[in-house]
Amino acid sequence: MSSSPLFTPLTLPCASVLPSRLAKAAMEEGLGEPGQLPGEPIFQLYRRWANGNIGLLITGNVMIDHRAMTGPGGIVLEQQTDLEPFRRWAEAAKSNGGKVWMQINHPGRQVYAAMGGNVWSPSDVPLNLGKHSKLFGQPSPMSDAQIVETIERFTATAVQAEAAGFDGVQIHAAHGYLISQFLSPLTNRRSDQWGGTLENRSRLLIEVIRAIRKHVSSEFAVAVKINSADFQRGGFDEQDAKQVIEQLNQEAVDLVELSGGSYESPAMQGRTADQRTLAREAYFLEFARDIAKVATMPVMTTGGILHRSTAEEVLEKGIDLVGLGTALAMTPDLPLRWQQAEFTSSSPQVNWKDKTLNALAVMALVRRQIHRLGAGKPAQASLSPFFTLIKDQWRSKQLTRRYRNWRQQI
């Protein structure tokens, strides 16, 4: 079955060649070792995915600032960080001929209150998660100096990623993180050059792209992940996404990944806050198909893809690259299986009434599978969502204590 279009190469604008049209989309692994560095579990995990014949591995988000983390088990890469563990990570990910990109990110307001640190955002709009809102810190509006510092930090992390042997970076501008917060009129209520019109709201993203491209080599890929929509009433929508893509057409962007949602509206898990219904697989395909019509660079979409036939349909709709997430946590050699025959992976199913707890349970289940893979164990389909969430919360408390102690020492 290797004649499938999924296994044809893709040449990017920077001239880098991806060996297939299948990519591992970013998932937050939570496997950071002491010092928030990659270690043996990460190396083993990415070696397993590489051996499964994936064309491109996009890492879980790597933080550009140790003072602002999406979770206590995250990884940080800054200007002064020791690169040796990152070199080993890149080597493991590229051990079977595929490419690896580092997803780089700043969480903005999506920082757990228990962790402390900088809860920066374009405006002082806190997360609205009902009775769970206090889990997250109160955001403070960023000054011009803090915005400039953030651009410099994105750039420094990208430069370090190239030095460590990664083939590119993906700038995370989706899922309600900092750059996504600037893009959304719900969270960006500024009246200066960084807010108001969509051109102003997208300024941070554009400046980050330009700064990175200026400081990395021409063959180093610079990609962007943005929402096709926030799936919240009054938020960033499909028309906004199209206009941002048209702006990105003028920049040296090698690929755009289209996703959707945020912590408030976890569309990336198939659930939305505005009650719009998403497809059972390839959640954002219809949005991506329309948005991709205005893109001059390759486009990737992800969101719950489990079947090879669905992945092939994504390509048939004019999308260049198929992103796989949870499916690879459950079946790390899925591309290899698809080269031989149709095979269906699986996805955790949780149907609790509390949407916030439901989202946390799904993330905990995926993370637990990833941790099993990193420990050399097989994925296990029949895990208890309740027990897994309890275990994940206990582990998070331990890692939060470790993180806070580390921050005090540096």
mmCIF file with all atom_site columns, all heavy atoms in Angstrom, residues 238 241-243 245-246 249 258 285-299 316-320:
data_model
loop_
_atom_site.group_PDB
_atom_site.id
_atom_site.type_symbol
_atom_site.label_atom_id
_atom_site.label_alt_id
_atom_site.label_comp_id
_atom_site.label_asym_id
_atom_site.label_entity_id
_atom_site.label_seq_id
_atom_site.pdbx_PDB_ins_code
_atom_site.Cartn_x
_atom_site.Cartn_y
_atom_site.Cartn_z
_atom_site.occupancy
_atom_site.B_iso_or_equiv
_atom_site.pdbx_formal_charge
_atom_site.auth_seq_id
_atom_site.auth_comp_id
_atom_site.auth_asym_id
_atom_site.auth_atom_id
_atom_site.pdbx_PDB_model_num
ATOM 1   N N   . GLU A 1 238 ? -13.188 32.128 10.991 1.00 0.00 ? 238 GLU A N   1
ATOM 2   C CA  . GLU A 1 238 ? -12.612 31.659 9.728  1.00 0.00 ? 238 GLU A CA  1
ATOM 3   C C   . GLU A 1 238 ? -12.194 32.805 8.811  1.00 0.00 ? 238 GLU A C   1
ATOM 4   O O   . GLU A 1 238 ? -11.183 32.705 8.109  1.00 0.00 ? 238 GLU A O   1
ATOM 5   C CB  . GLU A 1 238 ? -13.618 30.754 8.989  1.00 0.00 ? 238 GLU A CB  1
ATOM 6   C CG  . GLU A 1 238 ? -14.034 29.513 9.764  1.00 0.00 ? 238 GLU A CG  1
ATOM 7   C CD  . GLU A 1 238 ? -15.325 29.702 10.531 1.00 0.00 ? 238 GLU A CD  1
ATOM 8   O OE1 . GLU A 1 238 ? -15.357 30.565 11.438 1.00 0.00 ? 238 GLU A OE1 1
ATOM 9   O OE2 . GLU A 1 238 ? -16.304 28.995 10.238 1.00 0.00 ? 238 GLU A OE2 1
ATOM 10  N N   . ALA A 1 241 ? -8.975  34.044 10.033 1.00 0.00 ? 241 ALA A N   1
ATOM 11  C CA  . ALA A 1 241 ? -7.909  33.108 9.674  1.00 0.00 ? 241 ALA A CA  1
ATOM 12  C C   . ALA A 1 241 ? -7.472  33.306 8.226  1.00 0.00 ? 241 ALA A C   1
ATOM 13  O O   . ALA A 1 241 ? -6.270  33.302 7.924  1.00 0.00 ? 241 ALA A O   1
ATOM 14  C CB  . ALA A 1 241 ? -8.371  31.666 9.908  1.00 0.00 ? 241 ALA A CB  1
ATOM 15  N N   . LYS A 1 242 ? -8.430  33.494 7.340  1.00 0.00 ? 242 LYS A N   1
ATOM 16  C CA  . LYS A 1 242 ? -8.087  33.718 5.932  1.00 0.00 ? 242 LYS A CA  1
ATOM 17  C C   . LYS A 1 242 ? -7.242  34.974 5.759  1.00 0.00 ? 242 LYS A C   1
ATOM 18  O O   . LYS A 1 242 ? -6.267  34.986 5.002  1.00 0.00 ? 242 LYS A O   1
ATOM 19  C CB  . LYS A 1 242 ? -9.365  33.827 5.087  1.00 0.00 ? 242 LYS A CB  1
ATOM 20  C CG  . LYS A 1 242 ? -10.052 32.502 4.796  1.00 0.00 ? 242 LYS A CG  1
ATOM 21  C CD  . LYS A 1 242 ? -11.247 32.715 3.890  1.00 0.00 ? 242 LYS A CD  1
ATOM 22  C CE  . LYS A 1 242 ? -11.931 31.394 3.573  1.00 0.00 ? 242 LYS A CE  1
ATOM 23  N NZ  . LYS A 1 242 ? -13.119 31.570 2.709  1.00 0.00 ? 242 LYS A NZ  1
ATOM 24  N N   . GLN A 1 243 ? -7.621  36.039 6.467  1.00 0.00 ? 243 GLN A N   1
ATOM 25  C CA  . GLN A 1 243 ? -6.873  37.292 6.340  1.00 0.00 ? 243 GLN A CA  1
ATOM 26  C C   . GLN A 1 243 ? -5.454  37.157 6.899  1.00 0.00 ? 243 GLN A C   1
ATOM 27  O O   . GLN A 1 243 ? -4.509  37.715 6.342  1.00 0.00 ? 243 GLN A O   1
ATOM 28  C CB  . GLN A 1 243 ? -7.627  38.416 7.047  1.00 0.00 ? 243 GLN A CB  1
ATOM 29  C CG  . GLN A 1 243 ? -8.914  38.827 6.351  1.00 0.00 ? 243 GLN A CG  1
ATOM 30  C CD  . GLN A 1 243 ? -9.617  39.966 7.066  1.00 0.00 ? 243 GLN A CD  1
ATOM 31  O OE1 . GLN A 1 243 ? -9.018  40.993 7.366  1.00 0.00 ? 243 GLN A OE1 1
ATOM 32  N NE2 . GLN A 1 243 ? -10.894 39.772 7.364  1.00 0.00 ? 243 GLN A NE2 1
ATOM 33  N N   . ILE A 1 245 ? -3.739  34.352 6.963  1.00 0.00 ? 245 ILE A N   1
ATOM 34  C CA  . ILE A 1 245 ? -3.013  33.539 5.970  1.00 0.00 ? 245 ILE A CA  1
ATOM 35  C C   . ILE A 1 245 ? -2.539  34.425 4.820  1.00 0.00 ? 245 ILE A C   1
ATOM 36  O O   . ILE A 1 245 ? -1.408  34.288 4.331  1.00 0.00 ? 245 ILE A O   1
ATOM 37  C CB  . ILE A 1 245 ? -3.904  32.406 5.424  1.00 0.00 ? 245 ILE A CB  1
ATOM 38  C CG1 . ILE A 1 245 ? -4.196  31.374 6.521  1.00 0.00 ? 245 ILE A CG1 1
ATOM 39  C CG2 . ILE A 1 245 ? -3.247  31.729 4.228  1.00 0.00 ? 245 ILE A CG2 1
ATOM 40  C CD1 . ILE A 1 245 ? -3.013  30.559 6.953  1.00 0.00 ? 245 ILE A CD1 1
ATOM 41  N N   . GLU A 1 246 ? -3.384  35.360 4.381  1.00 0.00 ? 246 GLU A N   1
ATOM 42  C CA  . GLU A 1 246 ? -2.989  36.267 3.303  1.00 0.00 ? 246 GLU A CA  1
ATOM 43  C C   . GLU A 1 246 ? -1.804  37.133 3.714  1.00 0.00 ? 246 GLU A C   1
ATOM 44  O O   . GLU A 1 246 ? -0.927  37.431 2.895  1.00 0.00 ? 246 GLU A O   1
ATOM 45  C CB  . GLU A 1 246 ? -4.185  37.126 2.888  1.00 0.00 ? 246 GLU A CB  1
ATOM 46  C CG  . GLU A 1 246 ? -5.237  36.320 2.108  1.00 0.00 ? 246 GLU A CG  1
ATOM 47  C CD  . GLU A 1 246 ? -6.490  37.118 1.818  1.00 0.00 ? 246 GLU A CD  1
ATOM 48  O OE1 . GLU A 1 246 ? -6.711  38.157 2.507  1.00 0.00 ? 246 GLU A OE1 1
ATOM 49  O OE2 . GLU A 1 246 ? -7.265  36.716 0.940  1.00 0.00 ? 246 GLU A OE2 1
ATOM 50  N N   . ASN A 1 249 ? 1.270   34.921 3.568  1.00 0.00 ? 249 ASN A N   1
ATOM 51  C CA  . ASN A 1 249 ? 1.733   34.706 2.183  1.00 0.00 ? 249 ASN A CA  1
ATOM 52  C C   . ASN A 1 249 ? 2.880   35.640 1.821  1.00 0.00 ? 249 ASN A C   1
ATOM 53  O O   . ASN A 1 249 ? 3.690   35.334 0.942  1.00 0.00 ? 249 ASN A O   1
ATOM 54  C CB  . ASN A 1 249 ? 0.585   34.922 1.191  1.00 0.00 ? 249 ASN A CB  1
ATOM 55  C CG  . ASN A 1 249 ? -0.423  33.779 1.185  1.00 0.00 ? 249 ASN A CG  1
ATOM 56  O OD1 . ASN A 1 249 ? -0.132  32.677 1.640  1.00 0.00 ? 249 ASN A OD1 1
ATOM 57  N ND2 . ASN A 1 249 ? -1.615  34.052 0.668  1.00 0.00 ? 249 ASN A ND2 1
ATOM 58  N N   . LEU A 1 258 ? -3.416  24.249 10.535 1.00 0.00 ? 258 LEU A N   1
ATOM 59  C CA  . LEU A 1 258 ? -4.705  24.787 10.949 1.00 0.00 ? 258 LEU A CA  1
ATOM 60  C C   . LEU A 1 258 ? -5.331  23.869 11.984 1.00 0.00 ? 258 LEU A C   1
ATOM 61  O O   . LEU A 1 258 ? -5.554  22.684 11.733 1.00 0.00 ? 258 LEU A O   1
ATOM 62  C CB  . LEU A 1 258 ? -5.630  24.947 9.745  1.00 0.00 ? 258 LEU A CB  1
ATOM 63  C CG  . LEU A 1 258 ? -5.192  26.033 8.748  1.00 0.00 ? 258 LEU A CG  1
ATOM 64  C CD1 . LEU A 1 258 ? -5.952  25.896 7.441  1.00 0.00 ? 258 LEU A CD1 1
ATOM 65  C CD2 . LEU A 1 258 ? -5.404  27.418 9.348  1.00 0.00 ? 258 LEU A CD2 1
ATOM 66  N N   . LEU A 1 285 ? -11.224 19.888 8.880  1.00 0.00 ? 285 LEU A N   1
ATOM 67  C CA  . LEU A 1 285 ? -10.937 19.722 7.453  1.00 0.00 ? 285 LEU A CA  1
ATOM 68  C C   . LEU A 1 285 ? -11.723 20.689 6.584  1.00 0.00 ? 285 LEU A C   1
ATOM 69  O O   . LEU A 1 285 ? -11.173 21.292 5.654  1.00 0.00 ? 285 LEU A O   1
ATOM 70  C CB  . LEU A 1 285 ? -11.204 18.274 7.024  1.00 0.00 ? 285 LEU A CB  1
ATOM 71  C CG  . LEU A 1 285 ? -10.988 17.965 5.542  1.00 0.00 ? 285 LEU A CG  1
ATOM 72  C CD1 . LEU A 1 285 ? -9.579  18.362 5.093  1.00 0.00 ? 285 LEU A CD1 1
ATOM 73  C CD2 . LEU A 1 285 ? -11.239 16.481 5.262  1.00 0.00 ? 285 LEU A CD2 1
ATOM 74  N N   . GLU A 1 286 ? -13.012 20.850 6.851  1.00 0.00 ? 286 GLU A N   1
ATOM 75  C CA  . GLU A 1 286 ? -13.822 21.728 6.006  1.00 0.00 ? 286 GLU A CA  1
ATOM 76  C C   . GLU A 1 286 ? -13.362 23.177 6.129  1.00 0.00 ? 286 GLU A C   1
ATOM 77  O O   . GLU A 1 286 ? -13.312 23.915 5.145  1.00 0.00 ? 286 GLU A O   1
ATOM 78  C CB  . GLU A 1 286 ? -15.306 21.592 6.360  1.00 0.00 ? 286 GLU A CB  1
ATOM 79  C CG  . GLU A 1 286 ? -15.880 20.217 6.060  1.00 0.00 ? 286 GLU A CG  1
ATOM 80  C CD  . GLU A 1 286 ? -15.614 19.763 4.631  1.00 0.00 ? 286 GLU A CD  1
ATOM 81  O OE1 . GLU A 1 286 ? -15.858 20.558 3.691  1.00 0.00 ? 286 GLU A OE1 1
ATOM 82  O OE2 . GLU A 1 286 ? -15.153 18.620 4.446  1.00 0.00 ? 286 GLU A OE2 1
ATOM 83  N N   . PHE A 1 287 ? -13.019 23.585 7.347  1.00 0.00 ? 287 PHE A N   1
ATOM 84  C CA  . PHE A 1 287 ? -12.484 24.936 7.536  1.00 0.00 ? 287 PHE A CA  1
ATOM 85  C C   . PHE A 1 287 ? -11.142 25.069 6.802  1.00 0.00 ? 287 PHE A C   1
ATOM 86  O O   . PHE A 1 287 ? -10.883 26.050 6.110  1.00 0.00 ? 287 PHE A O   1
ATOM 87  C CB  . PHE A 1 287 ? -12.282 25.216 9.024  1.00 0.00 ? 287 PHE A CB  1
ATOM 88  C CG  . PHE A 1 287 ? -13.528 25.105 9.848  1.00 0.00 ? 287 PHE A CG  1
ATOM 89  C CD1 . PHE A 1 287 ? -13.782 23.964 10.601 1.00 0.00 ? 287 PHE A CD1 1
ATOM 90  C CD2 . PHE A 1 287 ? -14.454 26.136 9.892  1.00 0.00 ? 287 PHE A CD2 1
ATOM 91  C CE1 . PHE A 1 287 ? -14.940 23.864 11.375 1.00 0.00 ? 287 PHE A CE1 1
ATOM 92  C CE2 . PHE A 1 287 ? -15.602 26.041 10.657 1.00 0.00 ? 287 PHE A CE2 1
ATOM 93  C CZ  . PHE A 1 287 ? -15.844 24.898 11.396 1.00 0.00 ? 287 PHE A CZ  1
ATOM 94  N N   . ALA A 1 288 ? -10.289 24.055 6.979  1.00 0.00 ? 288 ALA A N   1
ATOM 95  C CA  . ALA A 1 288 ? -8.953  24.088 6.381  1.00 0.00 ? 288 ALA A CA  1
ATOM 96  C C   . ALA A 1 288 ? -9.025  24.123 4.862  1.00 0.00 ? 288 ALA A C   1
ATOM 97  O O   . ALA A 1 288 ? -8.249  24.828 4.211  1.00 0.00 ? 288 ALA A O   1
ATOM 98  C CB  . ALA A 1 288 ? -8.132  22.890 6.854  1.00 0.00 ? 288 ALA A CB  1
ATOM 99  N N   . ARG A 1 289 ? -9.953  23.372 4.297  1.00 0.00 ? 289 ARG A N   1
ATOM 100 C CA  . ARG A 1 289 ? -10.088 23.333 2.829  1.00 0.00 ? 289 ARG A CA  1
ATOM 101 C C   . ARG A 1 289 ? -10.379 24.723 2.281  1.00 0.00 ? 289 ARG A C   1
ATOM 102 O O   . ARG A 1 289 ? -9.785  25.153 1.287  1.00 0.00 ? 289 ARG A O   1
ATOM 103 C CB  . ARG A 1 289 ? -11.227 22.376 2.447  1.00 0.00 ? 289 ARG A CB  1
ATOM 104 C CG  . ARG A 1 289 ? -11.436 22.237 0.946  1.00 0.00 ? 289 ARG A CG  1
ATOM 105 C CD  . ARG A 1 289 ? -12.714 21.495 0.644  1.00 0.00 ? 289 ARG A CD  1
ATOM 106 N NE  . ARG A 1 289 ? -13.888 22.225 1.137  1.00 0.00 ? 289 ARG A NE  1
ATOM 107 C CZ  . ARG A 1 289 ? -15.143 21.793 1.009  1.00 0.00 ? 289 ARG A CZ  1
ATOM 108 N NH1 . ARG A 1 289 ? -15.385 20.641 0.428  1.00 0.00 ? 289 ARG A NH1 1
ATOM 109 N NH2 . ARG A 1 289 ? -16.150 22.505 1.476  1.00 0.00 ? 289 ARG A NH2 1
ATOM 110 N N   . ASP A 1 290 ? -11.274 25.460 2.945  1.00 0.00 ? 290 ASP A N   1
ATOM 111 C CA  . ASP A 1 290 ? -11.625 26.799 2.471  1.00 0.00 ? 290 ASP A CA  1
ATOM 112 C C   . ASP A 1 290 ? -10.483 27.785 2.706  1.00 0.00 ? 290 ASP A C   1
ATOM 113 O O   . ASP A 1 290 ? -10.165 28.606 1.847  1.00 0.00 ? 290 ASP A O   1
ATOM 114 C CB  . ASP A 1 290 ? -12.891 27.291 3.182  1.00 0.00 ? 290 ASP A CB  1
ATOM 115 C CG  . ASP A 1 290 ? -14.126 26.500 2.773  1.00 0.00 ? 290 ASP A CG  1
ATOM 116 O OD1 . ASP A 1 290 ? -14.100 25.892 1.681  1.00 0.00 ? 290 ASP A OD1 1
ATOM 117 O OD2 . ASP A 1 290 ? -15.097 26.475 3.542  1.00 0.00 ? 290 ASP A OD2 1
ATOM 118 N N   . ILE A 1 291 ? -9.868  27.691 3.893  1.00 0.00 ? 291 ILE A N   1
ATOM 119 C CA  . ILE A 1 291 ? -8.783  28.614 4.220  1.00 0.00 ? 291 ILE A CA  1
ATOM 120 C C   . ILE A 1 291 ? -7.577  28.370 3.325  1.00 0.00 ? 291 ILE A C   1
ATOM 121 O O   . ILE A 1 291 ? -6.881  29.301 2.903  1.00 0.00 ? 291 ILE A O   1
ATOM 122 C CB  . ILE A 1 291 ? -8.416  28.483 5.707  1.00 0.00 ? 291 ILE A CB  1
ATOM 123 C CG1 . ILE A 1 291 ? -9.600  28.949 6.572  1.00 0.00 ? 291 ILE A CG1 1
ATOM 124 C CG2 . ILE A 1 291 ? -7.170  29.286 6.051  1.00 0.00 ? 291 ILE A CG2 1
ATOM 125 C CD1 . ILE A 1 291 ? -9.462  28.616 8.045  1.00 0.00 ? 291 ILE A CD1 1
ATOM 126 N N   . ALA A 1 292 ? -7.315  27.084 3.019  1.00 0.00 ? 292 ALA A N   1
ATOM 127 C CA  . ALA A 1 292 ? -6.137  26.726 2.216  1.00 0.00 ? 292 ALA A CA  1
ATOM 128 C C   . ALA A 1 292 ? -6.202  27.304 0.812  1.00 0.00 ? 292 ALA A C   1
ATOM 129 O O   . ALA A 1 292 ? -5.164  27.454 0.150  1.00 0.00 ? 292 ALA A O   1
ATOM 130 C CB  . ALA A 1 292 ? -5.990  25.210 2.150  1.00 0.00 ? 292 ALA A CB  1
ATOM 131 N N   . LYS A 1 293 ? -7.389  27.652 0.350  1.00 0.00 ? 293 LYS A N   1
ATOM 132 C CA  . LYS A 1 293 ? -7.525  28.195 -1.004 1.00 0.00 ? 293 LYS A CA  1
ATOM 133 C C   . LYS A 1 293 ? -6.803  29.531 -1.156 1.00 0.00 ? 293 LYS A C   1
ATOM 134 O O   . LYS A 1 293 ? -6.457  29.925 -2.274 1.00 0.00 ? 293 LYS A O   1
ATOM 135 C CB  . LYS A 1 293 ? -9.016  28.350 -1.348 1.00 0.00 ? 293 LYS A CB  1
ATOM 136 C CG  . LYS A 1 293 ? -9.739  27.017 -1.532 1.00 0.00 ? 293 LYS A CG  1
ATOM 137 C CD  . LYS A 1 293 ? -11.228 27.215 -1.778 1.00 0.00 ? 293 LYS A CD  1
ATOM 138 C CE  . LYS A 1 293 ? -11.950 25.889 -1.911 1.00 0.00 ? 293 LYS A CE  1
ATOM 139 N NZ  . LYS A 1 293 ? -13.422 26.069 -2.059 1.00 0.00 ? 293 LYS A NZ  1
ATOM 140 N N   . VAL A 1 294 ? -6.589  30.231 -0.049 1.00 0.00 ? 294 VAL A N   1
ATOM 141 C CA  . VAL A 1 294 ? -5.906  31.521 -0.153 1.00 0.00 ? 294 VAL A CA  1
ATOM 142 C C   . VAL A 1 294 ? -4.425  31.399 0.194  1.00 0.00 ? 294 VAL A C   1
ATOM 143 O O   . VAL A 1 294 ? -3.683  32.371 0.097  1.00 0.00 ? 294 VAL A O   1
ATOM 144 C CB  . VAL A 1 294 ? -6.566  32.587 0.760  1.00 0.00 ? 294 VAL A CB  1
ATOM 145 C CG1 . VAL A 1 294 ? -8.042  32.729 0.431  1.00 0.00 ? 294 VAL A CG1 1
ATOM 146 C CG2 . VAL A 1 294 ? -6.372  32.262 2.240  1.00 0.00 ? 294 VAL A CG2 1
ATOM 147 N N   . ALA A 1 295 ? -3.983  30.218 0.610  1.00 0.00 ? 295 ALA A N   1
ATOM 148 C CA  . ALA A 1 295 ? -2.593  30.044 1.052  1.00 0.00 ? 295 ALA A CA  1
ATOM 149 C C   . ALA A 1 295 ? -1.678  29.742 -0.123 1.00 0.00 ? 295 ALA A C   1
ATOM 150 O O   . ALA A 1 295 ? -2.007  28.934 -0.994 1.00 0.00 ? 295 ALA A O   1
ATOM 151 C CB  . ALA A 1 295 ? -2.508  28.915 2.072  1.00 0.00 ? 295 ALA A CB  1
ATOM 152 N N   . THR A 1 296 ? -0.507  30.360 -0.137 1.00 0.00 ? 296 THR A N   1
ATOM 153 C CA  . THR A 1 296 ? 0.499   30.039 -1.159 1.00 0.00 ? 296 THR A CA  1
ATOM 154 C C   . THR A 1 296 ? 1.553   29.072 -0.625 1.00 0.00 ? 296 THR A C   1
ATOM 155 O O   . THR A 1 296 ? 2.340   28.530 -1.397 1.00 0.00 ? 296 THR A O   1
ATOM 156 C CB  . THR A 1 296 ? 1.193   31.328 -1.641 1.00 0.00 ? 296 THR A CB  1
ATOM 157 O OG1 . THR A 1 296 ? 1.802   31.991 -0.519 1.00 0.00 ? 296 THR A OG1 1
ATOM 158 C CG2 . THR A 1 296 ? 0.204   32.253 -2.315 1.00 0.00 ? 296 THR A CG2 1
ATOM 159 N N   . MET A 1 297 ? 1.572   28.852 0.695  1.00 0.00 ? 297 MET A N   1
ATOM 160 C CA  . MET A 1 297 ? 2.493   27.884 1.289  1.00 0.00 ? 297 MET A CA  1
ATOM 161 C C   . MET A 1 297 ? 1.738   26.586 1.576  1.00 0.00 ? 297 MET A C   1
ATOM 162 O O   . MET A 1 297 ? 0.501   26.567 1.577  1.00 0.00 ? 297 MET A O   1
ATOM 163 C CB  . MET A 1 297 ? 3.102   28.449 2.585  1.00 0.00 ? 297 MET A CB  1
ATOM 164 C CG  . MET A 1 297 ? 2.187   28.446 3.789  1.00 0.00 ? 297 MET A CG  1
ATOM 165 S SD  . MET A 1 297 ? 0.797   29.616 3.711  1.00 0.00 ? 297 MET A SD  1
ATOM 166 C CE  . MET A 1 297 ? 1.687   31.156 4.006  1.00 0.00 ? 297 MET A CE  1
ATOM 167 N N   . PRO A 1 298 ? 2.440   25.469 1.801  1.00 0.00 ? 298 PRO A N   1
ATOM 168 C CA  . PRO A 1 298 ? 1.755   24.221 2.157  1.00 0.00 ? 298 PRO A CA  1
ATOM 169 C C   . PRO A 1 298 ? 0.935   24.374 3.434  1.00 0.00 ? 298 PRO A C   1
ATOM 170 O O   . PRO A 1 298 ? 1.269   25.174 4.323  1.00 0.00 ? 298 PRO A O   1
ATOM 171 C CB  . PRO A 1 298 ? 2.904   23.227 2.350  1.00 0.00 ? 298 PRO A CB  1
ATOM 172 C CG  . PRO A 1 298 ? 4.038   23.792 1.575  1.00 0.00 ? 298 PRO A CG  1
ATOM 173 C CD  . PRO A 1 298 ? 3.892   25.281 1.665  1.00 0.00 ? 298 PRO A CD  1
ATOM 174 N N   . VAL A 1 299 ? -0.138  23.589 3.508  1.00 0.00 ? 299 VAL A N   1
ATOM 175 C CA  . VAL A 1 299 ? -1.055  23.647 4.648  1.00 0.00 ? 299 VAL A CA  1
ATOM 176 C C   . VAL A 1 299 ? -1.200  22.248 5.254  1.00 0.00 ? 299 VAL A C   1
ATOM 177 O O   . VAL A 1 299 ? -1.260  21.248 4.539  1.00 0.00 ? 299 VAL A O   1
ATOM 178 C CB  . VAL A 1 299 ? -2.438  24.188 4.214  1.00 0.00 ? 299 VAL A CB  1
ATOM 179 C CG1 . VAL A 1 299 ? -3.458  24.072 5.345  1.00 0.00 ? 299 VAL A CG1 1
ATOM 180 C CG2 . VAL A 1 299 ? -2.326  25.636 3.764  1.00 0.00 ? 299 VAL A CG2 1
ATOM 181 N N   . GLU A 1 316 ? -6.935  14.694 -0.540 1.00 0.00 ? 316 GLU A N   1
ATOM 182 C CA  . GLU A 1 316 ? -7.847  14.890 -1.684 1.00 0.00 ? 316 GLU A CA  1
ATOM 183 C C   . GLU A 1 316 ? -8.530  16.251 -1.631 1.00 0.00 ? 316 GLU A C   1
ATOM 184 O O   . GLU A 1 316 ? -8.880  16.820 -2.676 1.00 0.00 ? 316 GLU A O   1
ATOM 185 C CB  . GLU A 1 316 ? -8.906  13.775 -1.704 1.00 0.00 ? 316 GLU A CB  1
ATOM 186 C CG  . GLU A 1 316 ? -8.346  12.405 -2.081 1.00 0.00 ? 316 GLU A CG  1
ATOM 187 C CD  . GLU A 1 316 ? -9.360  11.287 -1.841 1.00 0.00 ? 316 GLU A CD  1
ATOM 188 O OE1 . GLU A 1 316 ? -10.516 11.619 -1.463 1.00 0.00 ? 316 GLU A OE1 1
ATOM 189 O OE2 . GLU A 1 316 ? -8.999  10.107 -2.009 1.00 0.00 ? 316 GLU A OE2 1
ATOM 190 N N   . LYS A 1 317 ? -8.715  16.786 -0.414 1.00 0.00 ? 317 LYS A N   1
ATOM 191 C CA  . LYS A 1 317 ? -9.383  18.093 -0.256 1.00 0.00 ? 317 LYS A CA  1
ATOM 192 C C   . LYS A 1 317 ? -8.419  19.255 -0.465 1.00 0.00 ? 317 LYS A C   1
ATOM 193 O O   . LYS A 1 317 ? -8.774  20.408 -0.241 1.00 0.00 ? 317 LYS A O   1
ATOM 194 C CB  . LYS A 1 317 ? -10.023 18.174 1.127  1.00 0.00 ? 317 LYS A CB  1
ATOM 195 C CG  . LYS A 1 317 ? -11.211 17.231 1.339  1.00 0.00 ? 317 LYS A CG  1
ATOM 196 C CD  . LYS A 1 317 ? -12.424 17.670 0.559  1.00 0.00 ? 317 LYS A CD  1
ATOM 197 C CE  . LYS A 1 317 ? -13.608 16.725 0.755  1.00 0.00 ? 317 LYS A CE  1
ATOM 198 N NZ  . LYS A 1 317 ? -14.167 16.768 2.113  1.00 0.00 ? 317 LYS A NZ  1
ATOM 199 N N   . GLY A 1 318 ? -7.181  18.963 -0.875 1.00 0.00 ? 318 GLY A N   1
ATOM 200 C CA  . GLY A 1 318 ? -6.243  20.033 -1.188 1.00 0.00 ? 318 GLY A CA  1
ATOM 201 C C   . GLY A 1 318 ? -5.311  20.418 -0.060 1.00 0.00 ? 318 GLY A C   1
ATOM 202 O O   . GLY A 1 318 ? -4.597  21.427 -0.158 1.00 0.00 ? 318 GLY A O   1
ATOM 203 N N   . ILE A 1 319 ? -5.289  19.631 1.007  1.00 0.00 ? 319 ILE A N   1
ATOM 204 C CA  . ILE A 1 319 ? -4.369  19.874 2.125  1.00 0.00 ? 319 ILE A CA  1
ATOM 205 C C   . ILE A 1 319 ? -3.087  19.093 1.853  1.00 0.00 ? 319 ILE A C   1
ATOM 206 O O   . ILE A 1 319 ? -3.115  17.971 1.346  1.00 0.00 ? 319 ILE A O   1
ATOM 207 C CB  . ILE A 1 319 ? -5.002  19.446 3.465  1.00 0.00 ? 319 ILE A CB  1
ATOM 208 C CG1 . ILE A 1 319 ? -6.392  20.098 3.625  1.00 0.00 ? 319 ILE A CG1 1
ATOM 209 C CG2 . ILE A 1 319 ? -4.099  19.797 4.626  1.00 0.00 ? 319 ILE A CG2 1
ATOM 210 C CD1 . ILE A 1 319 ? -6.378  21.610 3.594  1.00 0.00 ? 319 ILE A CD1 1
ATOM 211 N N   . ASP A 1 320 ? -1.949  19.665 2.193  1.00 0.00 ? 320 ASP A N   1
ATOM 212 C CA  . ASP A 1 320 ? -0.663  19.080 1.818  1.00 0.00 ? 320 ASP A CA  1
ATOM 213 C C   . ASP A 1 320 ? -0.099  18.083 2.822  1.00 0.00 ? 320 ASP A C   1
ATOM 214 O O   . ASP A 1 320 ? 0.656   17.176 2.458  1.00 0.00 ? 320 ASP A O   1
ATOM 215 C CB  . ASP A 1 320 ? 0.375   20.204 1.632  1.00 0.00 ? 320 ASP A CB  1
ATOM 216 C CG  . ASP A 1 320 ? -0.072  21.214 0.597  1.00 0.00 ? 320 ASP A CG  1
ATOM 217 O OD1 . ASP A 1 320 ? 0.063   20.918 -0.600 1.00 0.00 ? 320 ASP A OD1 1
ATOM 218 O OD2 . ASP A 1 320 ? -0.577  22.286 0.984  1.00 0.00 ? 320 ASP A OD2 1
#
